[in-house]
Amino acid sequence: MRGGAAANGKLQKTRKKACDILFSNSDKVWRNGSAVRRTVPSRENYTHQWLWDSATCAMGLIHVDPQRAYDEVYSVLSGQWKNGFLPHIIFDPKSTGYFPGPKVWKTEKYSPKGVLTSGITQPPLVGFSLWYLYQNAPNKKGVIEFLKSVLPQVKKYHDFLKTYRDSEDSGLLTIVHPWEGGCDNSPLWDSPLTQIELDDVLDRLKKLVDSKRSDLKIGNHNHRPQSADYHRYIYLVDLFKKTAWNQEKMVKISPFAVKDVLFNSIWCMSNEALANCFRMLNQPKEAKKYEGLAKQTRKALMGLWSKKEKLFLDVDVSHGRNKPILENTIGTFAPLLAKAVTLDQLPSLITRLTDPTQYWTDSPAPTTAVNSPKFDKERYWRGPTWPITNFFLIYGLQNYIKYPYVKKVHDTLLKKTLTMIADRGFSEYFSPFKTNGAGNSGRLGFGNFSWTAAIFIALYEK
Ligand code: GLC
């Protein structure tokens, strides 16, 4: 992305700062006798390794230092359980401040020896990341060697997800915790979470949460999830722990079970990416298998379109339910990533995106529509603009770029995302408005955030 000379100078300087952040947030860990580097999301609060953050960091790092991009993937795959599961967090045993830490999850009987992990997953972005690394690696021989060494594990993860999270073969995976959806505190989870009665959450758990929550100790309370939500999050963790992290049981008994549009759009595009990798490696049988999964999910996503609302809607499927979740959030644009938007639907999605009363704010695009009663300009996933969801929007629009009206929005959003980061810094998330009255230029959450830096680099190179 290039502009005028002054703008270019600023963007170049910001790219340099982004590299510095990725460098200072990097740790060395030992895996199977070798040292690999991994990136923590931020030195504030998030001092462990997160699954979809690392998949994103790798996409930034490939433009800077390919070996570090490969290390990012190696280290995130080192948390893989025998059944193929990839946890959303791999803990750094030396860093004990974060809640909920390994003692709450108690997964050590199932995780690889010596690697402490959580027991839930996150959006399956790593497949997409692999194909991105291939496309952007300067040395094709090197990246092919890398792909050959990691594809078996990523394939195993996809097979795990298909087996346990779509046992009914609907094409749509089920998530069992809001944190699996990645947009942890989205209004999408409000209705499904009401299945958990607060009275059913043991006092012991409530006390634990209230005394240990690490985000509140460092971060601004007004930006973070509310206490009742946190009690429910930990209730679910405790429930799953009691099943001994048995996936079949978890999906069956969880009061929170959702077919989420964003998670499944990423699933679709990662399957397509795996198919591309296998095709490039001349493995047509494998390519066909993952292309088939992508097609099945694309078709199922199309079925989530509500003609009446003109939104793609999540579905609450807990305990046999089949209830669409009526919320207007950024997730409604995710099917663009999966090429699941028809040409009839496209204009209405673009109109929604460019509507200033919904998503076209000073710094688009807020994670919840401005005119939604749930919109909150500062609170975690309920309004602020997140670089990761802008990245998905930009890549989703890219799939329809041959239509000039889509190209225009794509180019503007790309420019606005880069400027937002260049002007305001590498925050976790941002106020969608120019000023939020807090005198902090709308910088929200924790600072010097790794995937904000990685996304800046990837978009700058686009
Ligand atoms: C928050 C986000 C989640 C992210 C993590 C680390 O929990 O909601 O999506 O992976 O932070 O950045």
Side-chain angles (χ1 to χ4, degrees):
M1 171 77 207
R2 309 288 134 107
N8 275 345
K10 182 156 189 188
L11 294 185
Q12 250 174 32
K13 270 196 199 140
T14 312
R15 187 191 186 282
K16 160 97 187 39
K17 275 193 217 151
C19 295
D20 293 346
I21 287 177
L22 287 177
F23 187 72
S24 62
N25 286 348
S26 140
D27 284 336
K28 203 191 264 177
V29 286
W30 288 89
R31 292 288 181 259
N32 304 322
S34 331
V36 283
R37 283 151 306 172
R38 66 176 188 188
T39 315
V40 298
S42 160
R43 292 284 173 206
E44 292 177 274
N45 194 44
Y46 299 104
T47 50
H48 307 281
Q49 182 172 29
W50 267 258
L51 177 58
W52 74 330
D53 294 62
S54 276
T56 309
C57 286
M59 292 191 258
L61 285 168
I62 193 72
H63 300 286
V64 181
D65 178 350
Q67 189 53 48
R68 272 192 59 201
Y70 306 155
D71 272 14
E72 199 66 41
V73 178
Y74 287 134
S75 56
V76 91
L77 293 179
S78 73
Q80 186 163 43
W81 294 11
K82 270 211 189 85
N83 60 3
F85 166 79
L86 284 181
H88 92 301
I89 303 178
I90 302 180
F91 291 105
D92 171 358
K94 294 190 298 305
S95 175
T96 52
Y98 177 81
F99 178 85
K103 282 196 192 128
V104 179
W105 297 93
K106 281 213 172 52
T107 59
E108 53 276 14
K109 274 199 206 143
Y110 317 97
S111 62
K113 202 164 174 266
V115 185
L116 295 171
T117 77
S118 69
I120 56 170
T121 194
Q122 258 189 337
L125 186 61
V126 62
F128 177 76
S129 183
L130 292 189
W131 184 239
Y132 184 97
L133 298 192
Y134 173 75
Q135 288 175 305
N136 291 283
N139 168 358
K140 292 295 177 231
K141 219 172 136 205
V143 73
I144 287 175
E145 281 316 301
F146 157 75
L147 285 180
K148 284 185 181 158
S149 66
V150 294
L151 270 167
Q153 273 184 276
V154 179
K155 183 172 123 68
K156 199 170 168 194
Y157 175 51
H158 277 227
D159 295 350
F160 161 88
L161 287 172
K162 181 67 188 160
T163 307
Y164 293 106
R165 298 309 186 88
D166 184 21
S167 58
E168 70 281 14
D169 201 18
S170 66
L172 296 173
L173 306 178
T174 302
I175 57 168
V176 293
H177 196 291
W179 295 345
E180 288 203 318
C183 309
D184 298 11
N185 190 33
S186 168
L188 287 170
W189 323 132
D190 290 358
S191 150
L193 279 176
T194 58
Q195 308 303 329
I196 305 169
E197 292 291 344
L198 276 176
D199 285 348
D200 290 345
V201 184
L202 297 174
D203 278 347
R204 170 182 66 80
L205 289 181
K206 286 184 183 155
K207 277 191 193 138
L208 182 77
V209 172
D210 296 344
S211 62
K212 299 269 184 212
R213 251 181 94 174
S214 51
D215 60 330
L216 291 188
K217 285 188 186 141
I218 318 172
N220 181 332
H221 290 214
N222 294 335
H223 305 172
R224 311 306 294 180
Q226 283 169 349
S227 166
D229 294 319
Y230 237 92
H231 290 162
R232 291 182 167 110
Y233 300 154
I234 301 302
Y235 170 88
L236 287 170
V237 172
D238 198 55
L239 186 73
F240 302 150
K241 192 163 56 182
K242 286 183 189 140
T243 71
W245 301 103
N246 175 308
Q247 290 288 328
E248 271 166 12
K249 283 193 196 152
M250 283 162 60
V251 175
K252 204 164 154 212
I253 66 167
S254 180
F256 180 98
V258 173
K259 301 284 187 192
D260 172 50
V261 174
L262 174 62
F263 193 97
N264 278 289
S265 300
I266 294 173
W267 168 239
C268 177
M269 92 173 167
S270 279
N271 276 314
E272 199 168 76
L274 284 196
N276 289 339
C277 291
F278 284 120
R279 212 170 290 118
M280 181 273 297
L281 292 172
N282 212 3
Q283 298 184 34
K285 231 174 105 193
E286 294 290 10
K288 204 169 157 208
K289 173 175 164 185
Y290 293 99
E291 188 58 59
L293 289 182
K295 271 194 194 141
Q296 187 196 19
T297 302
R298 183 170 305 120
K299 201 167 158 214
L301 281 166
M302 287 174 157
L304 299 183
W305 174 254
S306 155
K307 261 195 192 159
K308 185 168 164 241
E309 305 297 335
K310 296 199 178 352
L311 290 167
F312 284 94
L313 297 180
D314 278 24
V315 186
D316 179 346
V317 292
S318 67
H319 301 157
R321 252 181 227 102
N322 189 3
K323 189 178 156 215
I325 300 171
L326 199 63
E327 295 289 357
N328 182 3
T329 73
I330 196 80
T332 199
F333 302 106
L336 292 165
L337 281 173
K339 303 187 194 115
V341 178
T342 66
L343 293 185
D344 286 346
Q345 295 156 358
L346 189 60
S348 91
L349 272 191
I350 298 294
T351 306
R352 185 183 289 287
L353 178 61
T354 53
D355 174 357
T357 69
Q358 295 190 64
Y359 291 97
W360 213 243
T361 52
D362 302 328
S363 295
T367 36
T368 301
V370 173
N371 63 358
S372 155
K374 302 280 179 72
F375 175 80
D376 181 337
K377 68 179 192 293
E378 293 193 348
R379 203 178 289 276
Y380 207 54
W381 293 113
R382 301 179 81 89
T385 298
W386 285 66
I388 186 69
T389 39
N390 275 20
F391 179 80
F392 292 143
L393 259 176
I394 291 163
Y395 270 84
L397 294 168
Q398 170 82 44
N399 286 332
Y400 297 83
I401 207 145
K402 67 175 182 198
Y403 303 104
Y405 73 105
V406 178
K407 183 174 184 323
K408 203 170 139 210
V409 179
H410 166 278
D411 293 354
T412 313
L413 187 62
L414 175 58
K415 204 166 148 205
K416 280 181 178 267
T417 307
L418 288 170
T419 325
M420 173 178 77
I421 300 172
D423 288 349
R424 295 173 168 191
F426 296 91
S427 292
E428 187 181 7
Y429 44 98
F430 300 85
S431 164
F433 305 121
K434 253 188 223 132
T435 58
N436 66 351
N440 64 357
S441 330
R443 287 191 292 269
L444 301 171
F446 295 100
N448 285 350
F449 228 80
S450 295
W451 66 0
T452 307
I455 288 165
F456 184 89
I457 297 171
L459 293 181
Y460 177 86
E461 297 294 339
K462 200 171 182 297

